[in-house]
């Protein structure tokens, strides 16, 4: 089974960093958030990836072209020419297909462009900026049982701002905003049956609009409720918060070193 990761957007709301690198390559704990997402999948047995590249996609290609080198003990021997020996590899047993899906292509268009790589069976799909301790087997089972074309993980994000308690016109206390005050939202980590891609017209199609709206109206969009940790890296503030959480013991770190 494959996992498709959308990694081609420009990340305009985190331009402090995305002007230098694609958003999925922004680091948390010294590793790109893309790596964290892939580790979430591989910890649950999904090791075949299709990554939809776009904005500064060459940086993603360069990262994976040297991945084994970055994560191994290496001997460089220059005594008789140049010889490179990998002494101890710590690289994961991943298969990674990197596809140039265009600079300005919308989310649906990116999926349409990789259709030939995922036509054989249902596949996982997520975005290159969100992490969660999601149970992929739960999502897979929900997809199979529902008979839906797409199964979407729904999450209830934590409130961003504290809430003031007011009595008789006076603030009496402050408390954290309850989780779920904003209702259920798309948390990514979808399972998609290949036939759903037929609803995508072309590069301008936004996956979350026409295709998913049509499936919802037809009763073909199933919900898989995730009540654990979830967070996306939308802004520099989110990136800093994820870095803090990583240092404290990240809930999405479901893999062993």
């Amino acid at each position: 089974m494959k996992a498709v990761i959308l990694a081609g957007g420009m990340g305009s709301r985190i331009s402090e960093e995305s002007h230098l690198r694609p958003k999925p390559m922004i680091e948390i704990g010294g590793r790109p958030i893309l790596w964290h997402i892939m580790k979430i999948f591989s910890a649950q047995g999904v090791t075949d990836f299709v990554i939809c590249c776009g904005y500064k996609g060459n940086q993603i290609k360069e990262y994976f072209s040297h991945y084994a080198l970055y994560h191994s003990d290496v001997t460089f021997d220059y005594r008789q020419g140049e010889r490179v020996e990998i002494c101890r590899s710590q690289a994961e047993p991943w298969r990674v297909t990197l596809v140039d899906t265009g600079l300005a292509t919308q989310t649906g268009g990116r999926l349409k462009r990789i259709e030939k790589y995922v036509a054989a069976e249902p596949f996982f799909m997520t975005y290159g900026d969100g992490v969660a301790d999601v149970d992929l087997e739960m999502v897979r089972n929900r997809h199979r049982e529902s008979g839906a074309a797409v199964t979407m993980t729904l999450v209830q994000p934590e409130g961003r701002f504290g809430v003031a308690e007011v009595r008789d016109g006076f603030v009496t206390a402050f408390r954290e905003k309850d989780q779920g005050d904003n209702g259920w939202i798309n948390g990514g980590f979808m399972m998609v049956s290949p036939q759903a891609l037929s609803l995508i017209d072309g590069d301008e199609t936004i996956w979350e609009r026409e295709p998913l709206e049509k499936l919802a109206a037809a009763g073909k969009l199933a919900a898989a409720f995730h009540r654990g940790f979830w967070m996306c890296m939308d802004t520099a503030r989110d990136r800093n918060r994820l870095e803090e959480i990583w240092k404290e013991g990240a809930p999405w770190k479901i893999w062993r070193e």
Side-chain angles (χ1 to χ4, degrees), residues 45-56:
V46 181
T47 58
D48 194 347
F49 299 94
V50 178
I51 300 178
C52 302
C53 301
Y55 174 70
K56 295 187 181 296

Side-chain angles (χ1 to χ4, degrees), residues 146-161:
S146 68
V150 175
T151 297
M152 173 189 290
T153 301
L154 298 182
V155 299
Q156 289 182 302
E158 294 182 357
R160 185 172 290 257
F161 304 103

Side-chain angles (χ1 to χ4, degrees), residues 109-139:
R110 295 192 191 281
L111 290 175
K112 190 69 173 179
R113 287 203 185 194
I114 57 92
E115 186 173 13
K116 64 181 180 181
Y117 297 104
V118 295
E121 62 178 353
F123 59 92
F124 285 109
M125 168 254 156
T126 195
Y127 306 93
D129 63 357
V131 290
D133 57 349
V134 61
D135 181 352
L136 297 178
E137 187 64 22
M138 177 272 293
V139 179

